[in-house]
Amino acid sequence: MKTRQKWFVLAALAVLAAGGTLTFNLVRNPREAKTIEPVEKGRLVRATDLRKQEKKFLVTAYGTVRPRTEIKVVAEVSGRVISRSDGFRDGGFIKKGDTLFEIDPVDYKLAVAQRRAEIAQLRSDIERLVQEERNHQADLRIALRHLEVVQGELKRNQRLRRQKVISPGKLDISRQSVLRQEREVQRIRNLLALVAPSLSQKKAALDVTRARLQEARLDLIRTRIVAPFYARVRNTSLAAGDYIREGNVVGKIYDSSVLEVPVSVPVDEARWAFRRVAGQAFPRTQDEVQQYFSSAKIYWSRFGQRFEWEGRVTLVGAGLDESTRAVTMIIEVPDPFRKWIPGKHPPLTVGMFVKVDIQGVTLSDVYVIPRSALRPGDNVYIYADGALAIRPVKIIRKGHDEAVFRNGVNEGERLILSAIPAAVQGMKLRAADADRNAGSKKTHVRRRGVVSP
Protein backbone atom coordinates (compact mmCIF):
# COMPACT_ATOMS: atom_id res chain seq x y z
CA MET A 1 0.00 0.00 0.00
CA LYS A 2 2.79 2.38 0.81
CA THR A 3 4.53 1.54 -2.46
CA ARG A 4 1.44 2.58 -4.47
CA GLN A 5 1.20 5.94 -2.70
CA LYS A 6 4.90 6.54 -3.33
CA TRP A 7 4.54 5.99 -7.10
CA PHE A 8 1.45 8.23 -7.28
CA VAL A 9 3.26 11.10 -5.58
CA LEU A 10 6.24 10.77 -7.93
CA ALA A 11 3.95 10.85 -11.05
CA ALA A 12 2.16 13.95 -9.81
CA LEU A 13 5.46 15.75 -9.18
CA ALA A 14 6.61 14.85 -12.73
CA VAL A 15 3.45 16.31 -14.35
CA LEU A 16 3.76 19.50 -12.30
CA ALA A 17 7.39 19.89 -13.28
CA ALA A 18 6.64 19.45 -17.01
CA GLY A 19 3.77 21.97 -16.86
CA GLY A 20 5.90 24.51 -15.07
CA THR A 21 8.69 24.15 -17.62
CA LEU A 22 6.26 24.64 -20.61
CA THR A 23 4.71 27.69 -18.99
CA PHE A 24 8.14 29.25 -18.32
CA ASN A 25 9.17 28.74 -21.98
CA LEU A 26 5.93 30.29 -23.34
CA VAL A 27 6.35 33.33 -21.12
CA ARG A 28 10.03 33.80 -22.02
CA ASN A 29 9.43 33.29 -25.81
CA PRO A 30 5.87 34.57 -26.80
CA ARG A 31 4.58 34.06 -30.46
CA GLU A 32 2.79 36.98 -32.02
CA ALA A 33 -0.71 35.92 -33.39
CA LYS A 34 -1.63 37.09 -36.94
CA THR A 35 -5.15 38.43 -37.61
CA ILE A 36 -6.77 37.78 -41.04
CA GLU A 37 -9.90 39.67 -41.94
CA PRO A 38 -12.67 37.31 -43.36
CA VAL A 39 -13.53 37.86 -47.05
CA GLU A 40 -17.19 38.72 -47.79
CA LYS A 41 -18.30 36.18 -50.44
CA GLY A 42 -22.09 36.84 -50.61
CA ARG A 43 -25.10 34.50 -50.27
CA LEU A 44 -24.61 30.96 -51.51
CA VAL A 45 -27.17 30.01 -54.20
CA ARG A 46 -27.85 27.17 -56.61
CA ALA A 47 -27.91 28.02 -60.30
CA THR A 48 -28.36 26.21 -63.61
CA ASP A 49 -27.65 27.08 -67.23
CA LEU A 50 -30.55 28.26 -69.39
CA ARG A 51 -30.99 26.30 -72.61
CA LYS A 52 -33.65 26.62 -75.30
CA GLN A 53 -35.59 23.48 -76.01
CA GLU A 54 -38.67 22.07 -77.71
CA LYS A 55 -41.61 21.78 -75.37
CA LYS A 56 -44.66 19.58 -75.90
CA PHE A 57 -47.50 20.73 -73.68
CA LEU A 58 -49.61 18.35 -71.65
CA VAL A 59 -53.07 19.43 -70.58
CA THR A 60 -54.02 17.58 -67.43
CA ALA A 61 -57.60 17.03 -66.30
CA TYR A 62 -59.63 14.56 -64.28
CA GLY A 63 -62.88 12.78 -64.99
CA THR A 64 -65.00 9.70 -64.44
CA VAL A 65 -65.17 6.90 -67.00
CA ARG A 66 -68.61 6.42 -68.54
CA PRO A 67 -70.08 4.44 -71.46
CA ARG A 68 -70.08 6.11 -74.85
CA THR A 69 -73.24 4.25 -75.81
CA GLU A 70 -75.67 3.06 -73.16
CA ILE A 71 -79.25 1.96 -73.75
CA LYS A 72 -82.17 0.95 -71.61
CA VAL A 73 -83.54 -2.52 -72.30
CA VAL A 74 -87.28 -1.96 -72.70
CA ALA A 75 -90.00 -4.55 -73.28
CA GLU A 76 -91.75 -3.73 -76.57
CA VAL A 77 -94.60 -6.19 -75.98
CA SER A 78 -96.33 -7.57 -72.91
CA GLY A 79 -96.10 -11.16 -71.74
CA ARG A 80 -94.41 -13.70 -69.52
CA VAL A 81 -90.63 -14.23 -69.78
CA ILE A 82 -89.96 -17.83 -70.80
CA SER A 83 -86.15 -17.63 -71.07
CA ARG A 84 -83.24 -15.34 -70.18
CA SER A 85 -79.62 -15.36 -71.34
CA ASP A 86 -77.03 -16.38 -68.75
CA GLY A 87 -75.06 -13.24 -69.61
CA PHE A 88 -78.03 -10.93 -69.01
CA ARG A 89 -77.28 -10.23 -65.37
CA ASP A 90 -75.41 -7.53 -63.46
CA GLY A 91 -71.86 -7.31 -64.86
CA GLY A 92 -72.49 -9.93 -67.54
CA PHE A 93 -71.08 -9.82 -71.07
CA ILE A 94 -73.31 -10.07 -74.14
CA LYS A 95 -72.32 -10.71 -77.75
CA LYS A 96 -73.87 -8.83 -80.62
CA GLY A 97 -76.98 -10.71 -81.77
CA ASP A 98 -77.41 -12.67 -78.54
CA THR A 99 -80.98 -13.02 -77.23
CA LEU A 100 -81.21 -11.23 -73.88
CA PHE A 101 -84.60 -12.72 -73.01
CA GLU A 102 -87.72 -14.06 -74.73
CA ILE A 103 -91.41 -13.43 -74.02
CA ASP A 104 -94.01 -16.17 -74.58
CA PRO A 105 -94.84 -15.81 -78.32
CA VAL A 106 -98.07 -17.92 -78.44
CA ASP A 107 -100.51 -15.00 -78.37
CA TYR A 108 -98.52 -13.16 -81.03
CA LYS A 109 -98.38 -16.23 -83.28
CA LEU A 110 -102.17 -16.48 -83.00
CA ALA A 111 -102.48 -12.81 -83.92
CA VAL A 112 -100.41 -13.43 -87.05
CA ALA A 113 -102.59 -16.42 -87.99
CA GLN A 114 -105.74 -14.36 -87.44
CA ARG A 115 -104.53 -11.56 -89.68
CA ARG A 116 -103.63 -14.05 -92.39
CA ALA A 117 -107.15 -15.53 -92.22
CA GLU A 118 -108.68 -12.07 -92.47
CA ILE A 119 -106.56 -11.36 -95.52
CA ALA A 120 -107.69 -14.62 -97.14
CA GLN A 121 -111.35 -13.72 -96.45
CA LEU A 122 -110.95 -10.24 -97.91
CA ARG A 123 -109.26 -11.60 -101.00
CA SER A 124 -112.19 -14.00 -101.47
CA ASP A 125 -114.68 -11.14 -101.10
CA ILE A 126 -112.77 -9.08 -103.62
CA GLU A 127 -112.77 -11.96 -106.12
CA ARG A 128 -116.53 -12.40 -105.60
CA LEU A 129 -117.16 -8.70 -106.21
CA VAL A 130 -115.01 -8.75 -109.31
CA GLN A 131 -117.01 -11.69 -110.62
CA GLU A 132 -120.29 -9.95 -109.81
CA GLU A 133 -119.07 -6.92 -111.72
CA ARG A 134 -118.33 -9.09 -114.73
CA ASN A 135 -121.76 -10.76 -114.50
CA HIS A 136 -123.59 -7.44 -114.28
CA GLN A 137 -121.64 -6.13 -117.25
CA ALA A 138 -122.67 -9.22 -119.26
CA ASP A 139 -126.32 -8.82 -118.14
CA LEU A 140 -126.19 -5.18 -119.13
CA ARG A 141 -124.97 -6.01 -122.60
CA ILE A 142 -127.80 -8.55 -123.05
CA ALA A 143 -130.39 -6.15 -121.65
CA LEU A 144 -129.25 -3.40 -124.00
CA ARG A 145 -129.51 -5.70 -127.00
CA HIS A 146 -133.01 -6.76 -125.87
CA LEU A 147 -133.90 -3.09 -125.49
CA GLU A 148 -132.83 -2.45 -129.05
CA VAL A 149 -135.11 -5.28 -130.21
CA VAL A 150 -138.23 -4.07 -128.39
CA GLN A 151 -137.56 -0.48 -129.47
CA GLY A 152 -137.37 -1.68 -133.10
CA GLU A 153 -140.61 -3.58 -132.66
CA LEU A 154 -142.28 -0.46 -131.21
CA LYS A 155 -141.21 1.61 -134.21
CA ARG A 156 -142.61 -1.00 -136.59
CA ASN A 157 -145.93 -1.17 -134.75
CA GLN A 158 -146.18 2.62 -134.77
CA ARG A 159 -145.78 2.61 -138.57
CA LEU A 160 -148.35 -0.14 -138.93
CA ARG A 161 -150.77 1.74 -136.69
CA ARG A 162 -150.47 4.81 -138.85
CA GLN A 163 -151.43 2.52 -141.72
CA LYS A 164 -154.28 1.18 -139.51
CA VAL A 165 -153.00 -2.34 -139.92
CA ILE A 166 -152.88 -3.12 -136.15
CA SER A 167 -155.10 -2.15 -133.26
CA PRO A 168 -154.22 0.49 -130.64
CA GLY A 169 -153.99 -2.24 -127.97
CA LYS A 170 -151.15 -4.00 -129.73
CA LEU A 171 -149.26 -0.70 -129.99
CA ASP A 172 -149.69 -0.19 -126.22
CA ILE A 173 -148.29 -3.68 -125.56
CA SER A 174 -145.12 -2.75 -127.54
CA ARG A 175 -144.74 0.45 -125.55
CA GLN A 176 -145.03 -1.46 -122.26
CA SER A 177 -142.35 -3.93 -123.40
CA VAL A 178 -139.93 -1.06 -124.10
CA LEU A 179 -140.61 0.46 -120.69
CA ARG A 180 -140.05 -2.87 -118.92
CA GLN A 181 -136.76 -3.40 -120.74
CA GLU A 182 -135.53 0.15 -119.95
CA ARG A 183 -136.34 -0.52 -116.30
CA GLU A 184 -134.27 -3.74 -116.43
CA VAL A 185 -131.32 -1.95 -117.98
CA GLN A 186 -131.48 0.69 -115.26
CA ARG A 187 -131.63 -2.00 -112.55
CA ILE A 188 -128.53 -3.73 -113.89
CA ARG A 189 -126.71 -0.39 -114.12
CA ASN A 190 -127.59 0.32 -110.49
CA LEU A 191 -126.23 -3.05 -109.41
CA LEU A 192 -123.07 -2.44 -111.38
CA ALA A 193 -122.65 0.99 -109.79
CA LEU A 194 -122.88 -0.55 -106.28
CA VAL A 195 -120.12 -3.07 -106.97
CA ALA A 196 -117.37 -0.43 -107.41
CA PRO A 197 -117.66 1.13 -103.87
CA SER A 198 -117.89 -2.32 -102.29
CA LEU A 199 -114.82 -3.40 -104.20
CA SER A 200 -112.88 -0.27 -103.10
CA GLN A 201 -113.97 -0.84 -99.50
CA LYS A 202 -112.75 -4.42 -99.54
CA LYS A 203 -109.41 -3.40 -101.08
CA ALA A 204 -108.91 -0.72 -98.42
CA ALA A 205 -109.75 -3.26 -95.71
CA LEU A 206 -107.22 -5.62 -97.28
CA ASP A 207 -104.49 -2.93 -97.08
CA VAL A 208 -105.34 -2.27 -93.42
CA THR A 209 -105.28 -5.97 -92.59
CA ARG A 210 -101.97 -6.37 -94.36
CA ALA A 211 -100.55 -3.56 -92.19
CA ARG A 212 -101.97 -5.27 -89.12
CA LEU A 213 -100.35 -8.50 -90.24
CA GLN A 214 -97.01 -6.70 -90.50
CA GLU A 215 -97.55 -5.23 -87.04
CA ALA A 216 -98.40 -8.68 -85.66
CA ARG A 217 -95.25 -10.08 -87.22
CA LEU A 218 -93.20 -7.27 -85.66
CA ASP A 219 -94.78 -7.96 -82.28
CA LEU A 220 -93.85 -11.62 -82.72
CA ILE A 221 -90.24 -10.59 -83.52
CA ARG A 222 -90.24 -8.28 -80.49
CA THR A 223 -90.86 -11.19 -78.16
CA ARG A 224 -87.10 -11.84 -78.55
CA ILE A 225 -84.92 -8.95 -77.30
CA VAL A 226 -81.56 -9.07 -79.12
CA ALA A 227 -78.32 -7.23 -78.20
CA PRO A 228 -77.51 -4.60 -80.87
CA PHE A 229 -73.76 -4.61 -80.07
CA TYR A 230 -71.11 -6.28 -77.92
CA ALA A 231 -72.25 -5.13 -74.53
CA ARG A 232 -71.86 -5.36 -70.81
CA VAL A 233 -74.87 -5.41 -68.52
CA ARG A 234 -75.05 -2.41 -66.19
CA ASN A 235 -77.97 -3.68 -64.12
CA THR A 236 -81.04 -5.90 -64.40
CA SER A 237 -83.39 -7.77 -62.09
CA LEU A 238 -85.27 -9.77 -64.74
CA ALA A 239 -85.85 -13.49 -64.18
CA ALA A 240 -87.56 -16.23 -66.14
CA GLY A 241 -91.26 -16.39 -65.24
CA ASP A 242 -91.65 -12.63 -64.65
CA TYR A 243 -94.60 -10.95 -66.34
CA ILE A 244 -93.61 -7.65 -67.96
CA ARG A 245 -95.68 -5.04 -69.72
CA GLU A 246 -94.93 -3.09 -72.85
CA GLY A 247 -92.65 -0.13 -72.03
CA ASN A 248 -91.21 -1.61 -68.83
CA VAL A 249 -87.45 -0.97 -68.36
CA VAL A 250 -85.84 -4.26 -67.39
CA GLY A 251 -82.14 -3.25 -67.39
CA LYS A 252 -79.30 -1.24 -68.91
CA ILE A 253 -76.47 -2.35 -71.21
CA TYR A 254 -73.56 -0.37 -72.67
CA ASP A 255 -71.20 -0.81 -75.59
CA SER A 256 -68.13 -2.53 -74.15
CA SER A 257 -65.92 -1.83 -77.17
CA VAL A 258 -65.57 1.92 -76.45
CA LEU A 259 -65.64 3.97 -73.26
CA GLU A 260 -65.21 7.71 -72.80
CA VAL A 261 -64.04 10.19 -70.18
CA PRO A 262 -65.61 13.67 -70.03
CA VAL A 263 -63.26 16.26 -68.50
CA SER A 264 -63.55 19.96 -67.76
CA VAL A 265 -60.56 22.06 -68.86
CA PRO A 266 -60.13 25.79 -68.07
CA VAL A 267 -60.23 27.97 -71.16
CA ASP A 268 -56.62 29.16 -70.80
CA GLU A 269 -55.48 25.52 -70.66
CA ALA A 270 -57.80 24.21 -73.37
CA ARG A 271 -56.16 26.40 -76.03
CA TRP A 272 -53.00 24.26 -75.75
CA ALA A 273 -54.91 21.00 -76.29
CA PHE A 274 -55.71 21.44 -79.99
CA ARG A 275 -53.42 20.78 -82.90
CA ARG A 276 -52.50 23.76 -85.02
CA VAL A 277 -53.48 23.30 -88.67
CA ALA A 278 -52.22 26.06 -90.97
CA GLY A 279 -54.58 27.71 -93.44
CA GLN A 280 -57.73 26.04 -92.17
CA ALA A 281 -61.07 27.78 -91.72
CA PHE A 282 -63.34 27.13 -88.75
CA PRO A 283 -64.53 23.50 -89.02
CA ARG A 284 -68.14 22.99 -90.04
CA THR A 285 -68.41 19.21 -89.90
CA GLN A 286 -67.31 16.49 -87.52
CA ASP A 287 -64.81 15.19 -90.08
CA GLU A 288 -63.18 18.62 -90.40
CA VAL A 289 -62.88 19.12 -86.65
CA GLN A 290 -61.24 15.72 -86.11
CA GLN A 291 -57.92 16.96 -87.47
CA TYR A 292 -57.59 19.37 -84.54
CA PHE A 293 -58.05 16.73 -81.84
CA SER A 294 -55.06 15.24 -80.02
CA SER A 295 -54.25 11.88 -78.50
CA ALA A 296 -54.38 11.40 -74.74
CA LYS A 297 -53.26 9.05 -72.00
CA ILE A 298 -55.54 7.90 -69.22
CA TYR A 299 -54.10 6.98 -65.81
CA TRP A 300 -55.64 5.22 -62.82
CA SER A 301 -53.68 4.71 -59.61
CA ARG A 302 -54.49 1.99 -57.12
CA PHE A 303 -52.72 -0.69 -55.11
CA GLY A 304 -49.52 1.39 -55.17
CA GLN A 305 -49.35 1.23 -58.99
CA ARG A 306 -50.34 3.42 -61.91
CA PHE A 307 -52.14 1.89 -64.89
CA GLU A 308 -52.30 3.47 -68.34
CA TRP A 309 -54.59 3.41 -71.40
CA GLU A 310 -54.45 5.15 -74.78
CA GLY A 311 -57.24 7.49 -75.88
CA ARG A 312 -58.10 10.40 -78.12
CA VAL A 313 -60.14 13.59 -77.92
CA THR A 314 -63.20 13.05 -80.11
CA LEU A 315 -65.64 15.75 -79.07
CA VAL A 316 -65.63 19.22 -77.52
CA GLY A 317 -68.60 20.90 -75.93
CA ALA A 318 -70.40 23.49 -78.05
CA GLY A 319 -70.09 26.09 -75.29
CA LEU A 320 -68.63 26.76 -71.86
CA ASP A 321 -70.05 25.10 -68.79
CA GLU A 322 -72.29 27.66 -67.10
CA SER A 323 -71.18 26.73 -63.58
CA THR A 324 -67.40 26.41 -64.11
CA ARG A 325 -66.88 28.41 -67.34
CA ALA A 326 -64.69 25.56 -68.53
CA VAL A 327 -64.53 23.62 -71.78
CA THR A 328 -65.86 20.06 -71.72
CA MET A 329 -63.78 17.57 -73.71
CA ILE A 330 -64.66 13.94 -74.40
CA ILE A 331 -61.75 11.48 -74.49
CA GLU A 332 -62.65 8.21 -76.19
CA VAL A 333 -60.88 4.98 -75.20
CA PRO A 334 -61.28 2.13 -77.71
CA ASP A 335 -61.04 -1.50 -76.62
CA PRO A 336 -60.80 -0.79 -72.86
CA PHE A 337 -60.24 -4.49 -72.06
CA ARG A 338 -57.26 -4.93 -74.38
CA LYS A 339 -54.61 -4.36 -71.67
CA TRP A 340 -56.33 -6.52 -69.10
CA ILE A 341 -53.92 -9.01 -67.50
CA PRO A 342 -55.29 -10.85 -64.45
CA GLY A 343 -53.36 -9.84 -61.37
CA LYS A 344 -51.25 -7.29 -63.26
CA HIS A 345 -53.29 -4.78 -65.24
CA PRO A 346 -57.03 -4.15 -64.68
CA PRO A 347 -59.46 -3.26 -67.48
CA LEU A 348 -60.76 0.29 -67.79
CA THR A 349 -64.12 0.18 -66.05
CA VAL A 350 -67.13 2.47 -65.89
CA GLY A 351 -67.01 4.61 -62.75
CA MET A 352 -63.22 4.88 -62.43
CA PHE A 353 -62.00 8.37 -61.51
CA VAL A 354 -58.97 8.86 -63.75
CA LYS A 355 -56.32 11.39 -64.68
CA VAL A 356 -56.12 12.43 -68.33
CA ASP A 357 -53.03 13.89 -70.03
CA ILE A 358 -53.95 15.41 -73.39
CA GLN A 359 -51.01 15.67 -75.79
CA GLY A 360 -51.09 19.38 -76.66
CA VAL A 361 -49.21 21.62 -79.09
CA THR A 362 -45.41 21.69 -79.41
CA LEU A 363 -43.42 24.93 -79.19
CA SER A 364 -39.76 25.24 -80.16
CA ASP A 365 -37.02 27.59 -78.88
CA VAL A 366 -38.52 28.14 -75.45
CA TYR A 367 -37.15 28.10 -71.94
CA VAL A 368 -38.64 25.67 -69.44
CA ILE A 369 -37.86 26.38 -65.79
CA PRO A 370 -39.16 25.03 -62.47
CA ARG A 371 -42.22 26.91 -61.25
CA SER A 372 -40.34 27.68 -58.01
CA ALA A 373 -37.73 29.62 -60.04
CA LEU A 374 -40.40 32.04 -61.29
CA ARG A 375 -40.42 35.04 -58.97
CA PRO A 376 -43.31 37.39 -58.11
CA GLY A 377 -44.29 39.69 -60.95
CA ASP A 378 -43.16 37.13 -63.55
CA ASN A 379 -39.46 37.81 -62.92
CA VAL A 380 -36.49 35.46 -62.88
CA TYR A 381 -33.21 35.79 -60.97
CA ILE A 382 -30.02 35.53 -63.02
CA TYR A 383 -26.54 34.92 -61.57
CA ALA A 384 -24.33 37.41 -63.43
CA ASP A 385 -20.65 37.82 -62.45
CA GLY A 386 -21.25 37.14 -58.76
CA ALA A 387 -24.25 39.47 -58.53
CA LEU A 388 -28.03 39.20 -58.77
CA ALA A 389 -29.81 40.37 -61.95
CA ILE A 390 -33.61 40.55 -61.87
CA ARG A 391 -35.14 40.02 -65.32
CA PRO A 392 -38.82 40.34 -66.28
CA VAL A 393 -40.08 37.64 -68.69
CA LYS A 394 -43.30 37.15 -70.63
CA ILE A 395 -44.74 33.83 -69.55
CA ILE A 396 -46.31 31.64 -72.22
CA ARG A 397 -47.72 29.04 -69.85
CA LYS A 398 -47.60 28.34 -66.14
CA GLY A 399 -48.00 24.75 -65.02
CA HIS A 400 -48.05 23.17 -61.59
CA ASP A 401 -44.35 22.30 -61.74
CA GLU A 402 -42.94 24.45 -64.53
CA ALA A 403 -43.13 27.75 -66.36
CA VAL A 404 -42.47 28.35 -70.06
CA PHE A 405 -41.27 31.59 -71.65
CA ARG A 406 -39.34 32.70 -74.71
CA ASN A 407 -37.78 36.16 -74.11
CA GLY A 408 -36.17 38.26 -71.38
CA VAL A 409 -32.99 36.18 -70.97
CA ASN A 410 -30.12 34.93 -73.09
CA GLU A 411 -29.24 31.33 -73.71
CA GLY A 412 -26.36 30.21 -71.53
CA GLU A 413 -27.12 32.60 -68.67
CA ARG A 414 -27.43 31.09 -65.22
CA LEU A 415 -30.85 30.85 -63.62
CA ILE A 416 -30.92 31.01 -59.82
CA LEU A 417 -32.99 28.24 -58.29
CA SER A 418 -32.54 29.09 -54.60
CA ALA A 419 -34.89 31.32 -52.64
CA ILE A 420 -33.46 34.79 -51.91
CA PRO A 421 -35.30 36.74 -49.22
CA ALA A 422 -35.34 40.53 -49.74
CA ALA A 423 -33.66 40.23 -53.13
CA VAL A 424 -32.10 43.44 -54.45
CA GLN A 425 -30.72 44.11 -57.90
CA GLY A 426 -26.91 43.75 -57.84
CA MET A 427 -26.59 42.05 -54.46
CA LYS A 428 -23.51 39.85 -54.14
CA LEU A 429 -23.94 36.11 -54.60
CA ARG A 430 -21.84 33.04 -55.00
CA ALA A 431 -22.87 29.93 -56.88
CA ALA A 432 -22.76 26.56 -55.18
CA ASP A 433 -20.71 24.93 -57.94
CA ALA A 434 -18.14 27.79 -57.91
CA ASP A 435 -17.86 27.41 -54.15
CA ARG A 436 -17.17 23.69 -54.58
CA ASN A 437 -14.49 24.37 -57.20
CA ALA A 438 -12.65 26.59 -54.72
CA GLY A 439 -13.05 24.10 -51.88
CA SER A 440 -9.51 22.76 -52.17
CA LYS A 441 -8.12 26.27 -51.53
CA LYS A 442 -10.22 27.16 -48.50
CA THR A 443 -8.61 28.30 -45.26
CA HIS A 444 -10.23 27.90 -41.89
CA VAL A 445 -10.55 31.42 -40.43
CA ARG A 446 -11.48 32.66 -37.02
CA ARG A 447 -11.58 36.11 -35.57
CA ARG A 448 -8.29 35.77 -33.73
CA GLY A 449 -5.42 33.65 -34.86
CA VAL A 450 -5.05 31.21 -37.76
CA VAL A 451 -5.34 27.49 -37.82
CA SER A 452 -3.20 26.06 -40.58
CA PRO A 453 -4.91 23.60 -42.96
Side-chain angles (χ1 to χ4, degrees), residues 14 45 49 51 74 129 196 212 215 226 280 284 288 396 424:
V45 294
D49 293 340
R51 291 285 181 265
V74 180
L129 289 172
R212 289 177 177 172
E215 183 180 4
V226 178
Q280 294 293 324
R284 299 292 180 181
E288 289 180 2
I396 297 175
V424 178

Side-chain angles (χ1 to χ4, degrees), residues 23-39:
T23 302
F24 178 77
N25 290 332
L26 288 175
V27 172
R28 290 288 302 271
N29 301 300
R31 295 179 62 184
E32 184 177 356
K34 296 180 180 180
T35 302
I36 300 176
E37 295 296 331
V39 179

Side-chain angles (χ1 to χ4, degrees), residues 284-309:
R284 299 292 180 181
T285 66
Q286 188 64 21
D287 290 337
E288 289 180 2
V289 78
Q290 286 292 330
Q291 60 186 325
Y292 294 91
F293 293 154
S294 304
S295 60
K297 290 186 181 296
I298 293 86
Y299 301 99
W300 185 67
S301 298
R302 283 296 185 276
F303 319 121
Q305 293 180 283
R306 188 171 79 161
F307 307 100
E308 176 184 323
W309 294 267

Side-chain angles (χ1 to χ4, degrees), residues 291-417:
Q291 60 186 325
Y292 294 91
F293 293 154
S294 304
S295 60
K297 290 186 181 296
I298 293 86
Y299 301 99
W300 185 67
S301 298
R302 283 296 185 276
F303 319 121
Q305 293 180 283
R306 188 171 79 161
F307 307 100
E308 176 184 323
W309 294 267
E310 300 289 335
R312 182 178 178 81
V313 179
T314 58
L315 197 64
V316 176
L320 302 183
D321 186 273
E322 294 184 359
S323 58
T324 62
R325 303 301 176 187
V327 178
T328 300
M329 295 185 178
I330 306 298
I331 290 82
E332 189 175 284
V333 185
D335 197 6
F337 300 100
R338 179 172 56 86
K339 287 192 172 183
W340 175 60
I341 302 175
K344 293 185 178 181
H345 199 295
L348 189 66
T349 306
V350 172
M352 283 182 173
F353 186 74
V354 296
K355 175 186 176 183
V356 177
D357 282 345
I358 301 171
Q359 309 295 321
V361 300
T362 301
L363 295 182
S364 57
D365 296 331
V366 295
Y367 298 103
V368 182
I369 64 173
R371 180 64 184 270
S372 59
L374 183 64
R375 313 300 174 169
D378 289 347
N379 293 317
V380 295
Y381 292 168
I382 300 297
Y383 180 78
D385 298 328
L388 171 64
I390 301 177
R391 304 277 184 81
V393 294
K394 186 177 181 180
I395 297 297
I396 297 175
R397 182 174 184 249
K398 294 178 184 178
H400 294 291
D401 302 319
E402 62 187 18
V404 182
F405 61 93
R406 181 170 279 151
N407 59 357
V409 298
N410 297 316
E411 189 171 12
E413 288 187 315
R414 310 210 64 199
L415 175 71
I416 297 174
L417 304 176

